[in-house]
Amino acid sequence: MPRISEANLEEHRRNTMNALLDCAEHIVKTQGNNALTPAAVSQGAGIARNSIYRYVDNMDDLRHKLLQRHLPDWRKALEDGLADVSDPVEIIAIWVRINLEQTSIHGHGWMMKLHPTSSAAARKPKPDTKPDVSNDGSEDKPDFHATIAMPVARAWRQLCPHSPRVGATITRGLVSSGMRLLESAHDDAQARAIITQVEQAARAVAQSMREDDDAADGTGRITSM
């Protein structure tokens, strides 16, 4: 039997990992998060069930890798869209728009709903186990959802330092509502109109909650907005 070169072995591992990710993405998009099981993935990817664990620790690890697969494009869209924006109100509004645009590009809101159930620590590879065969070769990346939330979290701390969590929670609610509306959009024109309207709503909410330091009465309470 001819010896398999290191390059060919690495290519085989990478191709298998891509097959697992392709299958996992199809399952989640078409059947939902709970349908992602070892049996379903092994059948769809054409790999023995036990062989899955040469590439991932468990299904949550596969979910994590699936999110990381899309993170670079999503993060770049946010970085590009917010690059020259300094007003926190505009950061919040544009952040909402970009996230809704990205959910449309990548298949509506399936990624934002794909929350691995185990902790980040549980997803770290165990010593002396499978090699890292993720698409970008990195296992130590920030959590997908935390990375996406960073710009709007900073904006709310700047805009509304006394209660940033309230604003951030409202903003996430607007994005979630926008995703549900996009799922029922009949065409691209309606989808664009939904995104525009939700962006306008986010801008209005952020502006209404802006804390004016000059209006504080010295006790930390805001006397006017």
Side-chain angles (χ1 to χ4, degrees), residues 8-9 61 65 79 100 117 135 140 180 194 201 212:
N8 288 339
L9 181 59
D61 188 29
K65 283 181 167 58
E79 290 174 350
L100 291 178
T117 57
N135 280 7
D140 297 323
R180 288 193 293 271
I194 289 169
D212 186 352

Side-chain angles (χ1 to χ4, degrees), residues 43-115:
Q43 181 178 2
I47 182 173
R49 180 169 174 173
N50 289 341
S51 297
I52 294 175
Y53 302 108
R54 298 176 185 174
Y55 300 89
V56 296
D57 294 333
N58 48 46
M59 289 298 98
D60 276 352
D61 188 29
L62 182 57
R63 289 181 177 93
H64 177 66
K65 283 181 167 58
L66 185 55
L67 290 173
Q68 296 297 335
R69 185 189 216 188
H70 291 272
L71 179 58
D73 289 344
W74 199 305
R75 180 168 52 194
K76 187 176 187 305
L78 284 170
E79 290 174 350
D80 291 347
L82 298 173
D84 299 320
V85 184
S86 58
D87 179 17
V89 170
E90 286 305 304
I91 289 173
I92 292 164
I94 294 171
W95 181 89
V96 167
R97 171 172 55 78
I98 292 174
N99 275 283
L100 291 178
E101 290 173 345
Q102 289 298 303
T103 59
S104 292
I105 292 170
H106 293 282
H108 296 305
W110 69 272
M111 277 191 291
M112 300 302 285
K113 300 173 184 176
L114 185 63
H115 288 274

Side-chain angles (χ1 to χ4, degrees), residues 157-200:
R157 286 195 296 269
Q158 180 183 354
L159 182 71
C160 196
H162 294 88
S163 54
R165 290 184 61 186
V166 174
T169 300
I170 293 173
T171 306
R172 288 194 298 270
L174 285 170
V175 172
S176 296
S177 296
M179 289 177 182
R180 288 193 293 271
L181 290 168
L182 286 173
E183 288 172 355
S184 62
H186 299 302
D187 51 40
D188 289 343
Q190 187 177 21
R192 288 194 297 270
I194 289 169
I195 292 172
T196 297
Q197 290 168 342
V198 177
E199 177 187 4
Q200 292 171 346

Side-chain angles (χ1 to χ4, degrees), residues 191-224:
R192 288 194 297 270
I194 289 169
I195 292 172
T196 297
Q197 290 168 342
V198 177
E199 177 187 4
Q200 292 171 346
R203 182 178 287 107
V205 168
Q207 185 60 54
S208 71
M209 294 181 64
R210 183 193 292 269
E211 292 181 1
D212 186 352
D213 290 338
D214 293 335
D217 64 3
T219 65
R221 294 175 300 179
I222 303 302
T223 58
S224 64

